[in-house]
Amino acid sequence: MSYLKHFKRAAAVGAVALAAVSLQPGTAGAAPAGDGGNHTKVVGGTRAQQGEFPFMVRLSMGCGGALYAKDIVLTAAHCVDGSGPDTSVTATAGVVDLKDPKAVKVKSTEILQAPGYNGKGKDWALIKLAKPIKNIPTLKIAESDKFNNGDFTIAGWGADKEGGQQQRYLLKAQVPFVDDATCGKAYGTDLTPGDEICAGKLDTGGVDTCQGDSGGPMFRKDDGGRWIQVGIVSWGEGCARPGKPGVYTEVSAFAADIKKGAGRLGG
Ligand code: ARG
């Protein structure tokens, strides 16, 4: 229901986000900061290493995104207010620590929200940047459904549990694909199967994206071992609840539109 979906951005404004995962009571914050990452900090999520997911972008309205072109960020439609000239967004790239002085910060010039977006499906948008970000690789998007299966990586600076805080350091986690029929059982007609792809640990929950991760990529390796984006963080009922997978924009369904939109933005 839309009460769930349109919640998205509210909690995000102001801080840093992470891969949404439930925090294990009693262990929160117990792990030493700066251990660089292989130790589990939150249930299902760990710290990403500097440079591990170089295409990850934090957006100032409290969303995630991925570098689609040197000067274009792919994010969620629900993270933006519409289309047109817009200098209000700052993209932060090149760092896992949002307070790292080496962060690259670039402002937006124009936003393209998915044509026809009305809050159901079509949850993608492009943000044109004032200048190209050099030396940071882009994330290729899936153009067919070939990679809409298996295990996916999610990452973000969003809340670390339902109602939790935005994060300073980028977190990552892995979630398995959930097919439309199964996801439809969880969400009924709120799911738009042609537009959306679900992922999460159905039985146990515990690993998920969450508020503030929206707009960020869900990705995996392609046949050549390169990262490829299959999803955009969109919505879910709560975060990491058993039986309630995360719902992501199905990137392959919009690949042609995204390409066209980027062309229009001069990308
Ligand atoms: N809508 C949220 C945002 O704006 C993302 C929610 C994802 N929820 C989930 N359970 N996977 O940040």
Side-chain angles (χ1 to χ4, degrees), residues 4-5 7-9 12 20 62-63 78-79 187 208-214 233-240 244-248:
L4 299 166
K5 310 190 189 174
F7 204 62
K8 334 184 177 179
R9 183 142 81 89
C63 277
H78 80 261
C79 288
Y187 290 125
D208 197 4
T209 44
C210 200
Q211 270 58 41
D213 291 320
S214 276
V233 180
S234 185
W235 62 279
E237 182 175 321
C239 302
K244 299 291 178 183
V247 184
Y248 299 79

Side-chain angles (χ1 to χ4, degrees), residues 224-240:
R226 286 172 300 253
W227 292 120
I228 186 165
Q229 182 172 2
V230 299
I232 299 169
V233 180
S234 185
W235 62 279
E237 182 175 321
C239 302

Side-chain angles (χ1 to χ4, degrees), residues 82 112 121:
L112 178 79

Side-chain angles (χ1 to χ4, degrees), residues 148-167:
N148 294 348
N149 55 68
D151 284 330
F152 304 126
T153 299
I154 47 177
W157 290 270
D160 59 353
K161 58 179 172 175
E162 272 187 59
Q165 298 208 327
Q166 301 294 296
Q167 302 292 310

Side-chain angles (χ1 to χ4, degrees), residues 64-76:
L67 210 57
Y68 171 81
K70 293 277 173 208
D71 58 353
I72 297 180
V73 175
L74 177 60
T75 186

Side-chain angles (χ1 to χ4, degrees), residues 112-182:
L112 178 79
Q113 192 180 44
Y117 174 71
N118 65 1
K120 185 168 167 60
K122 297 188 189 63
D123 196 6
W124 65 269
L126 294 170
I127 300 185
K128 171 86 170 178
L129 303 176
K131 57 176 194 216
I133 299 180
K134 305 258 161 79
N135 309 319
I136 294 185
T138 56
L139 178 58
K140 168 172 70 130
I141 63 170
E143 294 183 2
S144 79
D145 59 12
K146 180 174 179 191
F147 299 108
N148 294 348
N149 55 68
D151 284 330
F152 304 126
T153 299
I154 47 177
W157 290 270
D160 59 353
K161 58 179 172 175
E162 272 187 59
Q165 298 208 327
Q166 301 294 296
Q167 302 292 310
R168 170 174 172 178
Y169 297 96
L170 182 65
L171 292 192
K172 62 171 178 175
Q174 294 246 100
V175 279
F177 170 73
V178 173
D179 65 74
D180 284 342
T182 306

